[in-house]
Amino acid sequence: MDYDENLSDEEAEFEEHRDDHDDEITRQECTHKLSMPDYIMEPSVFATLQRYFEAGGLPEQVVDMLSNNYMAMAQTANLLAEWLILAGTDIRTVQELVENHLKDMILKHFDTKKADAIFADGETPGWLQEMIEFPTWRMLFYKLAEEYPDCLMLNFTVKLISDAGYQGEITSVSTACHQLEVFSRVLKTSISSYLNDTDSFLKHNISDLAKMVCHGEHTYLYSQILLYTLSQESKGGAKIKRLSQELQIHAKERGLDVTAVTCSLIGGSKHARACQATAAMLSKSSINPADVTILYTAYSSPDPPPVEMIRNPCLLNLFIDGLFTPGLKINPEHKEKYLHILAYATTISETYKRGVRKSVNKDDLSSTRKFLKKAQEICSENTGGQELIADIPTLFECLQLVNYPLYCNISCI
């Protein structure tokens, strides 16, 4: 019994010693924080004071630490701002001056570890919710998120901004591409803006949307599947198809090979050879007689592939360049095939019911092919501007009778 009692006393003494040691460490940590300049202005000051007192800290020391290290930097800045206003400076100018300087200081001294530590207690600080209500600070968060994409605090803040309804501003923020919920909201907002004002969107916003969509294979695939589904709708489907094609063009300009995605969405599994030929030309950005022959054979058959397979802006531009670029010679054996594919892509209309093709309208195919051939002969025979003047009426008549989008492309050559 005596041995057990002595052991219990030693354990109690050890526990007491360990508690004292832990309290000492806590007091040192709190003392370090309380001794920082202007720490009394920090939102975490009350939590630090509570920890300090629970660890046996003395109130007198707290008063000394907080008062001796109070520099009043924020109050001094406010005082200087008031003096500038009293001196006649516009209040908005003063506000911009203070905000810009503060932004520069944050950008210069931003620490991701300290930023992530803000959420150590599991709660969102109230001041963060207030900051995202102002455009100035939202722009700052976007800039920081671009520079520090792995910062958890910034990623969370971008989501907060999206939750608050400002997803229209996030198209240029790559951080949004890593969060499906945020990405979906931004994409939805962009599509809505595009449908409401197509011309303005294509002029001012398409680049930002393309940057976000082309951020990675997963974002591009997700976006194109969504657009393909929407393009099947009778209302607005044609506009959505245009947006999908614009994104294809931007992806191509960025050096991305999105041919596999494009071909898979067309649903060319039933016509594998034609799909492979199309994919080969799109991947290489050039046309060759072998692939053209495969397409010609497929689109001359009784059961041709879907016209959407060749109704691709990038592919059409390749055929237009091949036929109408001055000085470019085409083998006569293959020219008819070029003309047939180009005419087919621009004139054929198909009728579908529940995903099954019911009819193919080829009424304008022969006439379009004839006019394209005439226009191509005029362009290939006359190389100088003066020589073309006499043929302008005929050329204009040919182009006028050809499908309008194709007419625009040829006219730009």
Side-chain angles (χ1 to χ4, degrees), residues 113-134:
K113 292 183 179 179
K114 291 182 179 179
D116 290 342
I118 292 173
F119 299 100
D121 57 359
E123 296 182 1
T124 303
W127 56 264
L128 185 59
Q129 293 280 10
E130 295 176 5
M131 285 185 72
I132 64 175
E133 295 178 5
F134 298 92

Side-chain angles (χ1 to χ4, degrees), residues 54 103-104 106 108 112 119 125 153 175 187 197 214-215 217 237 285 326-327 377 398:
E54 288 176 352
K103 284 196 299 183
D104 292 339
I106 293 174
K108 183 178 180 180
T112 56
F119 299 100
M153 175 265 187
T175 307
L187 184 59
D197 193 349
C214 298
H215 177 77
E217 292 182 359
S285 296
E377 289 173 350
C398 293

Side-chain angles (χ1 to χ4, degrees), residues 39 41-46 102 106 110-121 123-138 140-141 144 151-154 156-158 160-161:
Y39 189 75
M41 304 296 296
E42 294 292 331
S44 59
V45 63
F46 294 108
L102 185 55
I106 293 174
F110 186 79
D111 188 326
T112 56
K113 292 183 179 179
K114 291 182 179 179
D116 290 342
I118 292 173
F119 299 100
D121 57 359
E123 296 182 1
T124 303
W127 56 264
L128 185 59
Q129 293 280 10
E130 295 176 5
M131 285 185 72
I132 64 175
E133 295 178 5
F134 298 92
T136 300
W137 304 122
R138 291 201 299 273
L140 173 64
F141 284 125
L144 287 170
C151 180
L152 299 179
M153 175 265 187
L154 294 175
F156 180 77
T157 304
V158 170
L160 280 182
I161 294 173

